[in-house]
Amino acid sequence: MATPKSAVYKILVVDDDPDIVELLEFNLKKEGYLTASAGDGRKALEVAVDFNPDIILLDVMMPHLDGIATCRLLRENPKFKDTYILFLTARAEEFSEVAAFEAGADDFIAKPIKPRALLSRLAALKRRDQDPANAVDAIDINGLRIDRTAFAVYQDGRKITLPKKEFELLAFLAATPHKVFNREELLQNIWGNDVFVLARTVDVHVRKVREKVGDHHIQTIKGVGYKFNVD
């Protein structure tokens, strides 16, 4: 499990449009969040190190360093392994969303941003952190150990680092081996009802998990979905 967060969440807002930054910071501060901001990806990397945010709202199209590249660099830093990263973008094409999740995003929010909807999304993330179900005991299957309390995965004793959503997907499937889940069920249980993402997002995350822990743990049931394989 991720390191417990403090009662006051810190949010870094990254967007090259100062009006959007001002709007978001105004609404976030009203809800009691601590905020910092940056106008491009390069500055965001600098601010993030000092500010240590719990959540990053990250624009995609920015000068100097775009959001996709910024997200990748953030995820390469162990300090931000468990930080929530939510992309803000006016681009609704499928490839943009897939690229965002490939880079390590947790969520994808389309512009124009509705403050109330955004605040609801953030509240859902906080509830997820505080959910006792996230502190279940470790799962040991066929040399694979999934430790929810330490938010860690071990394959035959070797530690494997997984981003938050990949970890949650693996742990969710492993908790009920042999049960087949379709993409919609996985989206609902891993990303939540109030998050709009494409079904292909599940396929992207399954592929990335397989690359790291081996392709025999998660089995594809053609035309149906996925299950955790213990054979």
Side-chain angles (χ1 to χ4, degrees):
M1 184 179 177
T3 302
K5 301 181 188 295
S6 61
V8 179
Y9 275 50
K10 297 192 291 185
I11 301 181
L12 172 58
V13 181
V14 187
D15 199 298
D16 61 336
D17 186 332
D19 291 336
I20 290 178
V21 172
E22 182 180 1
L23 173 67
L24 293 179
E25 286 202 289
F26 173 77
N27 284 276
L28 292 170
K29 288 176 180 177
K30 280 204 312 181
E31 292 297 312
Y33 294 106
L34 295 178
T35 69
S37 64
D40 61 66
R42 289 180 185 172
K43 185 64 175 178
L45 295 174
E46 297 175 6
V47 174
V49 170
D50 293 329
F51 186 57
N52 195 26
D54 299 300
I55 300 170
I56 299 175
L57 304 180
L58 183 61
D59 188 26
V60 173
M61 303 301 293
M62 295 185 296
H64 306 307
L65 192 67
D66 66 34
I68 302 297
T70 302
C71 183
R72 288 197 185 101
L73 291 172
L74 286 166
R75 290 304 192 204
E76 289 175 3
N77 186 337
K79 185 175 184 178
F80 305 114
K81 178 176 68 73
D82 297 324
T83 302
Y84 290 114
I85 299 179
L86 286 70
F87 272 102
L88 310 175
T89 180
R91 301 179 64 177
E93 296 92 346
E94 179 180 345
F95 80 89
S96 294
E97 183 166 332
V98 172
F101 286 114
E102 284 271 15
D106 293 291
D107 204 345
F108 190 91
I109 301 173
K111 294 178 179 179
I113 300 164
K114 298 177 181 178
R116 289 184 63 183
L118 173 61
L119 292 172
S120 175
R121 190 81 55 88
L122 296 176
L125 293 179
K126 291 176 66 177
R127 287 194 301 271
R128 189 177 304 167
D129 282 335
Q130 297 160 4
D131 186 353
N134 285 334
V136 298
D137 294 335
I139 301 169
D140 291 278
I141 302 177
N142 288 349
L144 185 71
R145 180 175 178 82
I146 305 169
D147 189 341
R148 290 301 301 261
T149 60
F151 208 83
V153 177
Y154 300 87
Q155 177 71 62
D156 297 322
R158 177 177 61 90
K159 187 174 182 178
I160 300 171
T161 300
L162 297 179
K164 182 181 291 288
K165 281 293 181 289
E166 292 174 27
F167 180 90
E168 291 178 350
L169 175 62
L170 177 64
F172 179 78
L173 289 170
T176 50
H178 296 304
K179 179 175 174 57
V180 180
F181 293 92
N182 61 39
R183 290 169 178 80
E184 289 70 26
E185 289 174 314
L186 292 173
L187 286 171
Q188 179 178 345
N189 283 280
I190 306 302
W191 282 267
N193 290 322
D194 55 349
V195 178
F196 176 75
V197 293
L198 300 175
R200 187 179 172 190
T201 298
V202 174
D203 302 332
V204 170
H205 281 69
V206 167
R207 176 174 59 79
K208 292 172 77 70
V209 170
R210 283 171 168 165
E211 290 173 354
K212 296 169 184 174
V213 303
D215 58 9
H216 58 288
H217 291 295
I218 300 178
Q219 180 180 351
T220 301
I221 307 302
K222 191 173 182 180
V224 182
Y226 298 100
K227 74 171 184 175
F228 192 87
N229 187 18
V230 298
D231 300 325

